[in-house]
Amino acid sequence: MTDERSRHQELVARINRIFLRNGLSGQSMAALAKAVGVSRGKLYLYFSSRDEVVVAVVDQYVALASAQGRTPSQDWTVQALPHWLLTELMLLGSNSPAFLDDLGHAYPAQRRRIETALHQWEERFAAYLNEGMARGIFHPIDISLFLMMIRTTADGLNRPGRLAEQEAKPVLKHLLRILTLVLLDEAATKQLLTQEATQRAVTALAGQLTALYQQ
């Protein structure tokens, strides 16, 4: 049962990559089966229709956003800042304009589910930022503008065909530094971003984003 569940999740992830790169237009069950390298019959073993495929992809995104909201621990620490920033970038990078636009036209309820999941995550992120400001550790900022800045600057992360792993990592490191400097001074930023855990997290996210959009 565990192996079957793993196969299902991997198939959903592979289909998700197709949707992110190409949107939903023309993605019949036959086209999806060919794109992910399985027979049409095999695809129908897991999903009865394209509608069911779309719901499964959205379910996976919603589960990811919910799971990330439970980590790191509930105890507030400044060391958790890279986690929050990188998770925001990951969730934004796990969507694409082509996919969301098509989803809004064909499956508006499913698009709302994605938007709700991201909004709920950002509410938790905002609470973390507010706590940091209340403790006098983060610089006072307008959180709404800060989140808008992240969404705008992260736009290039979800452009199909434009990411290669050797490019994604330095881009993420630079973006993470800019965002951290909004909240902390130069010395604190350097100390935080040179930690081994932060470096590992940047490398992992670069790999994830590259895998999403690799041709």
PDB file of all heavy atoms in Angstrom, residues 119-150:
ATOM      1  N   HIS A 119      -2.699  31.939   0.960  1.00  0.00           N
ATOM      2  CA  HIS A 119      -3.086  33.020   1.882  1.00  0.00           C
ATOM      3  C   HIS A 119      -2.948  32.570   3.334  1.00  0.00           C
ATOM      4  O   HIS A 119      -2.428  33.321   4.187  1.00  0.00           O
ATOM      5  CB  HIS A 119      -4.528  33.442   1.602  1.00  0.00           C
ATOM      6  CG  HIS A 119      -5.052  34.478   2.553  1.00  0.00           C
ATOM      7  ND1 HIS A 119      -4.607  35.781   2.562  1.00  0.00           N
ATOM      8  CD2 HIS A 119      -5.973  34.393   3.558  1.00  0.00           C
ATOM      9  CE1 HIS A 119      -5.220  36.453   3.514  1.00  0.00           C
ATOM     10  NE2 HIS A 119      -6.055  35.640   4.128  1.00  0.00           N
ATOM     11  N   GLN A 120      -3.382  31.369   3.645  1.00  0.00           N
ATOM     12  CA  GLN A 120      -3.275  30.867   5.019  1.00  0.00           C
ATOM     13  C   GLN A 120      -1.820  30.714   5.437  1.00  0.00           C
ATOM     14  O   GLN A 120      -1.456  31.007   6.583  1.00  0.00           O
ATOM     15  CB  GLN A 120      -4.026  29.543   5.149  1.00  0.00           C
ATOM     16  CG  GLN A 120      -5.531  29.699   5.052  1.00  0.00           C
ATOM     17  CD  GLN A 120      -6.273  28.383   5.008  1.00  0.00           C
ATOM     18  OE1 GLN A 120      -5.690  27.315   4.766  1.00  0.00           O
ATOM     19  NE2 GLN A 120      -7.574  28.419   5.238  1.00  0.00           N
ATOM     20  N   TRP A 121      -0.983  30.236   4.500  1.00  0.00           N
ATOM     21  CA  TRP A 121       0.451  30.150   4.797  1.00  0.00           C
ATOM     22  C   TRP A 121       1.013  31.542   5.088  1.00  0.00           C
ATOM     23  O   TRP A 121       1.746  31.738   6.054  1.00  0.00           O
ATOM     24  CB  TRP A 121       1.210  29.511   3.635  1.00  0.00           C
ATOM     25  CG  TRP A 121       2.637  29.971   3.564  1.00  0.00           C
ATOM     26  CD1 TRP A 121       3.169  30.919   2.748  1.00  0.00           C
ATOM     27  CD2 TRP A 121       3.712  29.546   4.414  1.00  0.00           C
ATOM     28  NE1 TRP A 121       4.492  31.106   3.021  1.00  0.00           N
ATOM     29  CE2 TRP A 121       4.852  30.281   4.038  1.00  0.00           C
ATOM     30  CE3 TRP A 121       3.802  28.610   5.448  1.00  0.00           C
ATOM     31  CZ2 TRP A 121       6.085  30.106   4.658  1.00  0.00           C
ATOM     32  CZ3 TRP A 121       5.027  28.441   6.071  1.00  0.00           C
ATOM     33  CH2 TRP A 121       6.149  29.181   5.681  1.00  0.00           C
ATOM     34  N   GLU A 122       0.648  32.532   4.252  1.00  0.00           N
ATOM     35  CA  GLU A 122       1.188  33.875   4.422  1.00  0.00           C
ATOM     36  C   GLU A 122       0.686  34.537   5.695  1.00  0.00           C
ATOM     37  O   GLU A 122       1.374  35.392   6.261  1.00  0.00           O
ATOM     38  CB  GLU A 122       0.871  34.728   3.188  1.00  0.00           C
ATOM     39  CG  GLU A 122       1.708  34.304   1.982  1.00  0.00           C
ATOM     40  CD  GLU A 122       1.540  35.208   0.782  1.00  0.00           C
ATOM     41  OE1 GLU A 122       0.491  35.894   0.688  1.00  0.00           O
ATOM     42  OE2 GLU A 122       2.450  35.231  -0.071  1.00  0.00           O
ATOM     43  N   GLU A 123      -0.473  34.142   6.168  1.00  0.00           N
ATOM     44  CA  GLU A 123      -0.937  34.641   7.468  1.00  0.00           C
ATOM     45  C   GLU A 123      -0.027  34.140   8.586  1.00  0.00           C
ATOM     46  O   GLU A 123       0.295  34.878   9.525  1.00  0.00           O
ATOM     47  CB  GLU A 123      -2.382  34.200   7.724  1.00  0.00           C
ATOM     48  CG  GLU A 123      -3.417  34.989   6.940  1.00  0.00           C
ATOM     49  CD  GLU A 123      -4.828  34.639   7.365  1.00  0.00           C
ATOM     50  OE1 GLU A 123      -5.069  33.479   7.778  1.00  0.00           O
ATOM     51  OE2 GLU A 123      -5.705  35.531   7.291  1.00  0.00           O
ATOM     52  N   ARG A 124       0.398  32.879   8.492  1.00  0.00           N
ATOM     53  CA  ARG A 124       1.328  32.339   9.486  1.00  0.00           C
ATOM     54  C   ARG A 124       2.688  33.015   9.377  1.00  0.00           C
ATOM     55  O   ARG A 124       3.337  33.311  10.386  1.00  0.00           O
ATOM     56  CB  ARG A 124       1.448  30.825   9.313  1.00  0.00           C
ATOM     57  CG  ARG A 124       0.161  30.058   9.610  1.00  0.00           C
ATOM     58  CD  ARG A 124       0.367  28.564   9.646  1.00  0.00           C
ATOM     59  NE  ARG A 124       0.602  27.984   8.343  1.00  0.00           N
ATOM     60  CZ  ARG A 124      -0.346  27.523   7.538  1.00  0.00           C
ATOM     61  NH1 ARG A 124      -1.623  27.614   7.901  1.00  0.00           N
ATOM     62  NH2 ARG A 124      -0.055  26.995   6.365  1.00  0.00           N
ATOM     63  N   PHE A 125       3.104  33.253   8.148  1.00  0.00           N
ATOM     64  CA  PHE A 125       4.371  33.940   7.912  1.00  0.00           C
ATOM     65  C   PHE A 125       4.309  35.356   8.489  1.00  0.00           C
ATOM     66  O   PHE A 125       5.246  35.823   9.148  1.00  0.00           O
ATOM     67  CB  PHE A 125       4.642  33.974   6.406  1.00  0.00           C
ATOM     68  CG  PHE A 125       5.983  34.530   6.006  1.00  0.00           C
ATOM     69  CD1 PHE A 125       7.029  34.660   6.913  1.00  0.00           C
ATOM     70  CD2 PHE A 125       6.205  34.912   4.691  1.00  0.00           C
ATOM     71  CE1 PHE A 125       8.263  35.165   6.518  1.00  0.00           C
ATOM     72  CE2 PHE A 125       7.438  35.405   4.287  1.00  0.00           C
ATOM     73  CZ  PHE A 125       8.465  35.546   5.208  1.00  0.00           C
ATOM     74  N   ALA A 126       3.190  36.047   8.260  1.00  0.00           N
ATOM     75  CA  ALA A 126       3.018  37.401   8.787  1.00  0.00           C
ATOM     76  C   ALA A 126       3.067  37.405  10.316  1.00  0.00           C
ATOM     77  O   ALA A 126       3.639  38.326  10.930  1.00  0.00           O
ATOM     78  CB  ALA A 126       1.707  37.994   8.289  1.00  0.00           C
ATOM     79  N   ALA A 127       2.480  36.389  10.939  1.00  0.00           N
ATOM     80  CA  ALA A 127       2.515  36.299  12.406  1.00  0.00           C
ATOM     81  C   ALA A 127       3.955  36.149  12.894  1.00  0.00           C
ATOM     82  O   ALA A 127       4.352  36.748  13.911  1.00  0.00           O
ATOM     83  CB  ALA A 127       1.662  35.126  12.874  1.00  0.00           C
ATOM     84  N   TYR A 128       4.754  35.363  12.173  1.00  0.00           N
ATOM     85  CA  TYR A 128       6.168  35.203  12.522  1.00  0.00           C
ATOM     86  C   TYR A 128       6.900  36.542  12.412  1.00  0.00           C
ATOM     87  O   TYR A 128       7.676  36.928  13.300  1.00  0.00           O
ATOM     88  CB  TYR A 128       6.818  34.163  11.607  1.00  0.00           C
ATOM     89  CG  TYR A 128       8.314  34.089  11.745  1.00  0.00           C
ATOM     90  CD1 TYR A 128       8.918  33.379  12.784  1.00  0.00           C
ATOM     91  CD2 TYR A 128       9.135  34.752  10.838  1.00  0.00           C
ATOM     92  CE1 TYR A 128      10.293  33.334  12.915  1.00  0.00           C
ATOM     93  CE2 TYR A 128      10.517  34.707  10.968  1.00  0.00           C
ATOM     94  CZ  TYR A 128      11.091  33.999  11.995  1.00  0.00           C
ATOM     95  OH  TYR A 128      12.463  33.961  12.134  1.00  0.00           O
ATOM     96  N   LEU A 129       6.655  37.270  11.326  1.00  0.00           N
ATOM     97  CA  LEU A 129       7.304  38.563  11.133  1.00  0.00           C
ATOM     98  C   LEU A 129       6.871  39.567  12.203  1.00  0.00           C
ATOM     99  O   LEU A 129       7.699  40.329  12.735  1.00  0.00           O
ATOM    100  CB  LEU A 129       6.975  39.104   9.741  1.00  0.00           C
ATOM    101  CG  LEU A 129       7.528  38.299   8.556  1.00  0.00           C
ATOM    102  CD1 LEU A 129       6.961  38.830   7.246  1.00  0.00           C
ATOM    103  CD2 LEU A 129       9.048  38.330   8.539  1.00  0.00           C
ATOM    104  N   ASN A 130       5.590  39.566  12.524  1.00  0.00           N
ATOM    105  CA  ASN A 130       5.099  40.472  13.573  1.00  0.00           C
ATOM    106  C   ASN A 130       5.752  40.187  14.917  1.00  0.00           C
ATOM    107  O   ASN A 130       6.087  41.107  15.672  1.00  0.00           O
ATOM    108  CB  ASN A 130       3.571  40.343  13.700  1.00  0.00           C
ATOM    109  CG  ASN A 130       2.831  41.296  12.778  1.00  0.00           C
ATOM    110  OD1 ASN A 130       3.188  42.464  12.666  1.00  0.00           O
ATOM    111  ND2 ASN A 130       1.804  40.806  12.114  1.00  0.00           N
ATOM    112  N   GLU A 131       5.936  38.906  15.226  1.00  0.00           N
ATOM    113  CA  GLU A 131       6.582  38.533  16.491  1.00  0.00           C
ATOM    114  C   GLU A 131       8.020  39.039  16.521  1.00  0.00           C
ATOM    115  O   GLU A 131       8.491  39.537  17.543  1.00  0.00           O
ATOM    116  CB  GLU A 131       6.550  37.009  16.657  1.00  0.00           C
ATOM    117  CG  GLU A 131       7.213  36.490  17.929  1.00  0.00           C
ATOM    118  CD  GLU A 131       6.459  36.852  19.199  1.00  0.00           C
ATOM    119  OE1 GLU A 131       5.285  37.250  19.099  1.00  0.00           O
ATOM    120  OE2 GLU A 131       7.048  36.726  20.295  1.00  0.00           O
ATOM    121  N   GLY A 132       8.712  38.915  15.388  1.00  0.00           N
ATOM    122  CA  GLY A 132      10.080  39.409  15.322  1.00  0.00           C
ATOM    123  C   GLY A 132      10.174  40.903  15.530  1.00  0.00           C
ATOM    124  O   GLY A 132      11.097  41.402  16.200  1.00  0.00           O
ATOM    125  N   MET A 133       9.213  41.639  14.979  1.00  0.00           N
ATOM    126  CA  MET A 133       9.199  43.085  15.182  1.00  0.00           C
ATOM    127  C   MET A 133       8.841  43.425  16.622  1.00  0.00           C
ATOM    128  O   MET A 133       9.421  44.345  17.228  1.00  0.00           O
ATOM    129  CB  MET A 133       8.216  43.733  14.205  1.00  0.00           C
ATOM    130  CG  MET A 133       8.717  43.745  12.770  1.00  0.00           C
ATOM    131  SD  MET A 133       7.684  44.711  11.642  1.00  0.00           S
ATOM    132  CE  MET A 133       6.255  43.631  11.478  1.00  0.00           C
ATOM    133  N   ALA A 134       7.897  42.707  17.211  1.00  0.00           N
ATOM    134  CA  ALA A 134       7.509  42.951  18.600  1.00  0.00           C
ATOM    135  C   ALA A 134       8.672  42.706  19.548  1.00  0.00           C
ATOM    136  O   ALA A 134       8.792  43.392  20.580  1.00  0.00           O
ATOM    137  CB  ALA A 134       6.327  42.051  18.974  1.00  0.00           C
ATOM    138  N   ARG A 135       9.545  41.762  19.211  1.00  0.00           N
ATOM    139  CA  ARG A 135      10.716  41.472  20.034  1.00  0.00           C
ATOM    140  C   ARG A 135      11.846  42.469  19.804  1.00  0.00           C
ATOM    141  O   ARG A 135      12.871  42.407  20.480  1.00  0.00           O
ATOM    142  CB  ARG A 135      11.222  40.062  19.748  1.00  0.00           C
ATOM    143  CG  ARG A 135      10.299  38.941  20.227  1.00  0.00           C
ATOM    144  CD  ARG A 135      10.743  37.595  19.670  1.00  0.00           C
ATOM    145  NE  ARG A 135       9.887  36.509  20.125  1.00  0.00           N
ATOM    146  CZ  ARG A 135      10.246  35.595  21.042  1.00  0.00           C
ATOM    147  NH1 ARG A 135      11.451  35.649  21.592  1.00  0.00           N
ATOM    148  NH2 ARG A 135       9.409  34.645  21.397  1.00  0.00           N
ATOM    149  N   GLY A 136      11.683  43.330  18.824  1.00  0.00           N
ATOM    150  CA  GLY A 136      12.718  44.308  18.516  1.00  0.00           C
ATOM    151  C   GLY A 136      13.893  43.722  17.753  1.00  0.00           C
ATOM    152  O   GLY A 136      14.964  44.336  17.682  1.00  0.00           O
ATOM    153  N   ILE A 137      13.712  42.554  17.145  1.00  0.00           N
ATOM    154  CA  ILE A 137      14.786  41.892  16.397  1.00  0.00           C
ATOM    155  C   ILE A 137      14.722  42.257  14.915  1.00  0.00           C
ATOM    156  O   ILE A 137      15.752  42.521  14.289  1.00  0.00           O
ATOM    157  CB  ILE A 137      14.714  40.371  16.600  1.00  0.00           C
ATOM    158  CG1 ILE A 137      14.955  40.035  18.075  1.00  0.00           C
ATOM    159  CG2 ILE A 137      15.738  39.651  15.713  1.00  0.00           C
ATOM    160  CD1 ILE A 137      14.776  38.569  18.421  1.00  0.00           C
ATOM    161  N   PHE A 138      13.526  42.276  14.337  1.00  0.00           N
ATOM    162  CA  PHE A 138      13.369  42.668  12.946  1.00  0.00           C
ATOM    163  C   PHE A 138      13.142  44.171  12.847  1.00  0.00           C
ATOM    164  O   PHE A 138      12.508  44.777  13.723  1.00  0.00           O
ATOM    165  CB  PHE A 138      12.178  41.956  12.311  1.00  0.00           C
ATOM    166  CG  PHE A 138      12.363  40.473  12.117  1.00  0.00           C
ATOM    167  CD1 PHE A 138      11.264  39.642  11.973  1.00  0.00           C
ATOM    168  CD2 PHE A 138      13.633  39.906  12.069  1.00  0.00           C
ATOM    169  CE1 PHE A 138      11.417  38.278  11.778  1.00  0.00           C
ATOM    170  CE2 PHE A 138      13.805  38.545  11.888  1.00  0.00           C
ATOM    171  CZ  PHE A 138      12.687  37.724  11.746  1.00  0.00           C
ATOM    172  N   HIS A 139      13.625  44.762  11.759  1.00  0.00           N
ATOM    173  CA  HIS A 139      13.319  46.154  11.485  1.00  0.00           C
ATOM    174  C   HIS A 139      11.808  46.306  11.282  1.00  0.00           C
ATOM    175  O   HIS A 139      11.163  45.391  10.751  1.00  0.00           O
ATOM    176  CB  HIS A 139      14.022  46.626  10.206  1.00  0.00           C
ATOM    177  CG  HIS A 139      15.501  46.486  10.230  1.00  0.00           C
ATOM    178  ND1 HIS A 139      16.269  46.799  11.326  1.00  0.00           N
ATOM    179  CD2 HIS A 139      16.382  46.059   9.273  1.00  0.00           C
ATOM    180  CE1 HIS A 139      17.544  46.589  11.057  1.00  0.00           C
ATOM    181  NE2 HIS A 139      17.644  46.124   9.820  1.00  0.00           N
ATOM    182  N   PRO A 140      11.239  47.431  11.690  1.00  0.00           N
ATOM    183  CA  PRO A 140       9.812  47.661  11.420  1.00  0.00           C
ATOM    184  C   PRO A 140       9.563  47.721   9.911  1.00  0.00           C
ATOM    185  O   PRO A 140      10.255  48.437   9.190  1.00  0.00           O
ATOM    186  CB  PRO A 140       9.544  49.018  12.071  1.00  0.00           C
ATOM    187  CG  PRO A 140      10.645  49.189  13.073  1.00  0.00           C
ATOM    188  CD  PRO A 140      11.844  48.520  12.478  1.00  0.00           C
ATOM    189  N   ILE A 141       8.611  46.958   9.433  1.00  0.00           N
ATOM    190  CA  ILE A 141       8.295  46.943   8.006  1.00  0.00           C
ATOM    191  C   ILE A 141       6.782  46.888   7.821  1.00  0.00           C
ATOM    192  O   ILE A 141       6.041  46.554   8.741  1.00  0.00           O
ATOM    193  CB  ILE A 141       8.920  45.715   7.286  1.00  0.00           C
ATOM    194  CG1 ILE A 141       8.354  44.401   7.863  1.00  0.00           C
ATOM    195  CG2 ILE A 141      10.438  45.747   7.350  1.00  0.00           C
ATOM    196  CD1 ILE A 141       8.676  43.173   7.041  1.00  0.00           C
ATOM    197  N   ASP A 142       6.352  47.213   6.617  1.00  0.00           N
ATOM    198  CA  ASP A 142       4.966  46.998   6.216  1.00  0.00           C
ATOM    199  C   ASP A 142       4.913  45.579   5.645  1.00  0.00           C
ATOM    200  O   ASP A 142       5.446  45.313   4.562  1.00  0.00           O
ATOM    201  CB  ASP A 142       4.558  48.028   5.157  1.00  0.00           C
ATOM    202  CG  ASP A 142       3.096  47.894   4.741  1.00  0.00           C
ATOM    203  OD1 ASP A 142       2.660  46.758   4.461  1.00  0.00           O
ATOM    204  OD2 ASP A 142       2.404  48.919   4.681  1.00  0.00           O
ATOM    205  N   ILE A 143       4.285  44.666   6.368  1.00  0.00           N
ATOM    206  CA  ILE A 143       4.317  43.255   5.989  1.00  0.00           C
ATOM    207  C   ILE A 143       3.622  43.014   4.652  1.00  0.00           C
ATOM    208  O   ILE A 143       4.089  42.215   3.827  1.00  0.00           O
ATOM    209  CB  ILE A 143       3.705  42.383   7.101  1.00  0.00           C
ATOM    210  CG1 ILE A 143       4.623  42.411   8.328  1.00  0.00           C
ATOM    211  CG2 ILE A 143       3.502  40.941   6.622  1.00  0.00           C
ATOM    212  CD1 ILE A 143       4.088  41.655   9.515  1.00  0.00           C
ATOM    213  N   SER A 144       2.529  43.692   4.404  1.00  0.00           N
ATOM    214  CA  SER A 144       1.829  43.517   3.123  1.00  0.00           C
ATOM    215  C   SER A 144       2.732  43.887   1.958  1.00  0.00           C
ATOM    216  O   SER A 144       2.789  43.183   0.944  1.00  0.00           O
ATOM    217  CB  SER A 144       0.554  44.360   3.092  1.00  0.00           C
ATOM    218  OG  SER A 144      -0.370  43.907   4.053  1.00  0.00           O
ATOM    219  N   LEU A 145       3.462  44.998   2.098  1.00  0.00           N
ATOM    220  CA  LEU A 145       4.379  45.416   1.042  1.00  0.00           C
ATOM    221  C   LEU A 145       5.545  44.441   0.905  1.00  0.00           C
ATOM    222  O   LEU A 145       6.024  44.169  -0.197  1.00  0.00           O
ATOM    223  CB  LEU A 145       4.897  46.830   1.311  1.00  0.00           C
ATOM    224  CG  LEU A 145       3.907  47.970   1.095  1.00  0.00           C
ATOM    225  CD1 LEU A 145       4.540  49.299   1.471  1.00  0.00           C
ATOM    226  CD2 LEU A 145       3.422  48.006  -0.351  1.00  0.00           C
ATOM    227  N   PHE A 146       5.997  43.908   2.038  1.00  0.00           N
ATOM    228  CA  PHE A 146       7.100  42.950   2.025  1.00  0.00           C
ATOM    229  C   PHE A 146       6.699  41.686   1.268  1.00  0.00           C
ATOM    230  O   PHE A 146       7.446  41.187   0.417  1.00  0.00           O
ATOM    231  CB  PHE A 146       7.493  42.614   3.462  1.00  0.00           C
ATOM    232  CG  PHE A 146       8.685  41.697   3.578  1.00  0.00           C
ATOM    233  CD1 PHE A 146       9.935  42.087   3.103  1.00  0.00           C
ATOM    234  CD2 PHE A 146       8.561  40.458   4.179  1.00  0.00           C
ATOM    235  CE1 PHE A 146      11.051  41.243   3.221  1.00  0.00           C
ATOM    236  CE2 PHE A 146       9.657  39.612   4.310  1.00  0.00           C
ATOM    237  CZ  PHE A 146      10.904  40.009   3.819  1.00  0.00           C
ATOM    238  N   LEU A 147       5.506  41.175   1.546  1.00  0.00           N
ATOM    239  CA  LEU A 147       5.029  39.984   0.839  1.00  0.00           C
ATOM    240  C   LEU A 147       4.810  40.269  -0.643  1.00  0.00           C
ATOM    241  O   LEU A 147       5.095  39.423  -1.500  1.00  0.00           O
ATOM    242  CB  LEU A 147       3.729  39.480   1.479  1.00  0.00           C
ATOM    243  CG  LEU A 147       3.867  38.916   2.896  1.00  0.00           C
ATOM    244  CD1 LEU A 147       2.496  38.557   3.450  1.00  0.00           C
ATOM    245  CD2 LEU A 147       4.780  37.697   2.919  1.00  0.00           C
ATOM    246  N   MET A 148       4.332  41.469  -0.946  1.00  0.00           N
ATOM    247  CA  MET A 148       4.156  41.847  -2.345  1.00  0.00           C
ATOM    248  C   MET A 148       5.503  41.890  -3.053  1.00  0.00           C
ATOM    249  O   MET A 148       5.637  41.473  -4.213  1.00  0.00           O
ATOM    250  CB  MET A 148       3.452  43.205  -2.447  1.00  0.00           C
ATOM    251  CG  MET A 148       3.116  43.627  -3.865  1.00  0.00           C
ATOM    252  SD  MET A 148       2.361  45.283  -3.924  1.00  0.00           S
ATOM    253  CE  MET A 148       0.916  45.002  -2.899  1.00  0.00           C
ATOM    254  N   MET A 149       6.530  42.392  -2.358  1.00  0.00           N
ATOM    255  CA  MET A 149       7.869  42.451  -2.935  1.00  0.00           C
ATOM    256  C   MET A 149       8.390  41.049  -3.230  1.00  0.00           C
ATOM    257  O   MET A 149       8.980  40.802  -4.291  1.00  0.00           O
ATOM    258  CB  MET A 149       8.823  43.163  -1.975  1.00  0.00           C
ATOM    259  CG  MET A 149      10.243  43.290  -2.520  1.00  0.00           C
ATOM    260  SD  MET A 149      11.354  44.143  -1.379  1.00  0.00           S
ATOM    261  CE  MET A 149      11.587  42.855  -0.142  1.00  0.00           C
ATOM    262  N   ILE A 150       8.136  40.112  -2.322  1.00  0.00           N
ATOM    263  CA  ILE A 150       8.580  38.735  -2.550  1.00  0.00           C
ATOM    264  C   ILE A 150       7.875  38.151  -3.764  1.00  0.00           C
ATOM    265  O   ILE A 150       8.505  37.523  -4.629  1.00  0.00           O
ATOM    266  CB  ILE A 150       8.323  37.851  -1.311  1.00  0.00           C
ATOM    267  CG1 ILE A 150       9.131  38.348  -0.116  1.00  0.00           C
ATOM    268  CG2 ILE A 150       8.688  36.397  -1.610  1.00  0.00           C
ATOM    269  CD1 ILE A 150       8.848  37.608   1.174  1.00  0.00           C
TER     270      ILE A 150
END
